Amino acid sequence: MTRVVAQGTFDILHPGHVHYLQDAADMGDELHVIVARSVNVTHKEPPVVPDEQRREMVAALKPVDQAHLGHPEDIFVPIERIEPDIIALGYDQHHDDEQLEAALSARGIDCDIRRASPLEAEAADRLLSTGRIIDRIVDERSE
Amino acid sequence: MTRVVAQGTFDILHPGHVHYLQDAADMGDELHVIVARSVNVTHKEPPVVPDEQRREMVAALKPVDQAHLGHPEDIFVPIERIEPDIIALGYDQHHDDEQLEAALSARGIDCDIRRASPLEAEAADRLLSTGRIIDRIVDERSE
């Protein structure tokens, strides 16, 4: 049984999220997703959708076996609990794979780090990402 | 084999959609969802997310077996093709059940019409619906 962990903010769901999670699920037998809490999203604008609603929506997606909220102080706590064999990063997630590997080792967590594939070009072109959905709403619905 | 059809706009997915689709799926063995094309959404603001992306996201949800885009001119065409045993309406969808039943009969479509249950009160209170997500984006992200 190969257990895979994926993680992200998953603010307003779009096909890029589904592609990432399907790719992650295909790496093993059981996919757990860690959904970042709003308080821990510091590298971009905080999500629009509340923590528990984002967790619930990720859990409703076909590739996902279980969705968990992240730990507010220590990102490694849910990983220690889930004990994954593989951590699947999104192709564009800004993590330094080697640094992450070292941090996991230091915590005694032994798992592979892999990258999901990007969406194919045609799908990426027509994708309305969370950011583009928000921009469109601001453009069309604001007075 | 009981085939169920659900339908809606499904603009920005939220737990109310998942509840409706799970309820519909529980009425039978196979759930088909008809996703309204933007050109046919005339009773409220047009959706933000394009037709095909909305269809793709509905298809990614666990309760859904197949998601179809509606017919641009004749809403009964996909229903004739799917041949459902049950049409499951959302608890708050503005359809007159008897009028719909008569229209289906006139087209020779023989199926039951049922209503999905509402979300329980506590879940409904904390729900960020498509409209509330859009309002929040307009409030927080517009200059």
Side-chain angles (χ1 to χ4, degrees):
Chain A
M1 231 273 306
T2 303
R3 196 174 293 144
V4 184
V5 158
Q7 54 87 39
T9 308
F10 304 101
D11 191 13
I12 293 174
L13 291 180
H14 59 72
H17 294 132
V18 177
H19 174 85
Y20 164 42
L21 296 175
Q22 188 57 59
D23 229 42
D26 291 344
M27 294 176 193
D29 307 301
E30 195 180 280
L31 178 63
H32 292 252
V33 183
I34 301 173
V35 176
R37 287 179 192 269
S38 186
V39 292
N40 296 327
V41 178
T42 51
H43 62 294
K44 57 183 177 184
E45 291 234 48
V48 175
V49 178
D51 293 352
E52 177 53 27
Q53 181 160 328
R54 285 182 290 115
R55 193 204 62 76
E56 210 174 322
M57 292 309 296
V58 168
L61 295 172
K62 285 174 181 166
V64 178
D65 291 289
Q66 278 192 53
H68 315 259
L69 282 177
H71 190 280
E73 279 107 40
D74 181 345
I75 60 161
F76 294 108
V77 166
I79 297 176
E80 283 172 330
R81 205 182 53 233
I82 298 164
E83 296 187 12
D85 302 286
I86 297 168
I87 294 182
L89 299 176
Y91 84 100
D92 62 347
Q93 282 176 346
H94 303 295
H95 292 283
D96 180 319
D97 298 26
E98 281 179 30
Q99 215 177 317
L100 178 59
E101 206 144 12
L104 289 165
S105 275
R107 292 286 289 250
I109 302 167
D110 175 31
C111 66
D112 284 355
I113 296 172
R114 294 206 205 153
R115 285 269 170 188
S117 65
L119 270 179
E120 40 147 328
E122 188 269 325
D125 277 352
R126 64 182 167 79
L127 177 75
L128 221 57
S129 64
T130 304
R132 289 185 60 206
I133 290 171
I134 289 174
D135 289 347
R136 185 175 283 197
I137 290 169
V138 170
D139 286 353
E140 291 178 4
R141 301 290 174 94
S142 308
E143 271 80 13
Chain B
M1 230 276 306
T2 303
R3 196 175 291 144
V4 184
V5 157
Q7 55 87 38
T9 309
F10 303 100
D11 190 13
I12 293 175
L13 290 180
H14 59 72
H17 293 133
V18 176
H19 174 85
Y20 165 42
L21 295 175
Q22 188 57 59
D23 229 42
D26 291 343
M27 294 177 193
D29 307 300
E30 195 180 279
L31 177 62
H32 292 251
V33 184
I34 302 173
V35 176
R37 287 178 192 269
S38 186
V39 293
N40 296 327
V41 178
T42 52
H43 61 294
K44 57 182 177 184
E45 291 233 50
V48 175
V49 178
D51 293 353
E52 177 53 27
Q53 180 160 328
R54 284 182 292 114
R55 193 203 62 75
E56 210 174 321
M57 291 309 296
V58 168
L61 295 173
K62 284 174 180 166
V64 179
D65 291 289
Q66 278 191 53
H68 315 259
L69 281 176
H71 189 280
E73 278 107 41
D74 181 344
I75 59 162
F76 294 108
V77 166
I79 296 175
E80 283 172 330
R81 204 180 55 232
I82 297 164
E83 296 187 12
D85 303 287
I86 296 168
I87 294 182
L89 299 176
Y91 84 100
D92 62 347
Q93 283 178 345
H94 304 296
H95 292 284
D96 180 320
D97 299 26
E98 282 179 29
Q99 215 177 321
L100 178 59
E101 206 144 12
L104 288 166
S105 275
R107 291 286 288 251
I109 301 167
D110 176 30
C111 66
D112 284 354
I113 296 172
R114 296 206 205 153
R115 286 268 171 190
S117 65
L119 270 179
E120 40 147 328
E122 188 269 325
D125 277 351
R126 63 183 166 79
L127 178 75
L128 220 57
S129 64
T130 303
R132 289 185 60 205
I133 291 171
I134 288 173
D135 290 347
R136 184 174 283 199
I137 290 169
V138 169
D139 286 352
E140 291 179 4
R141 302 289 173 93
S142 309
E143 271 81 11

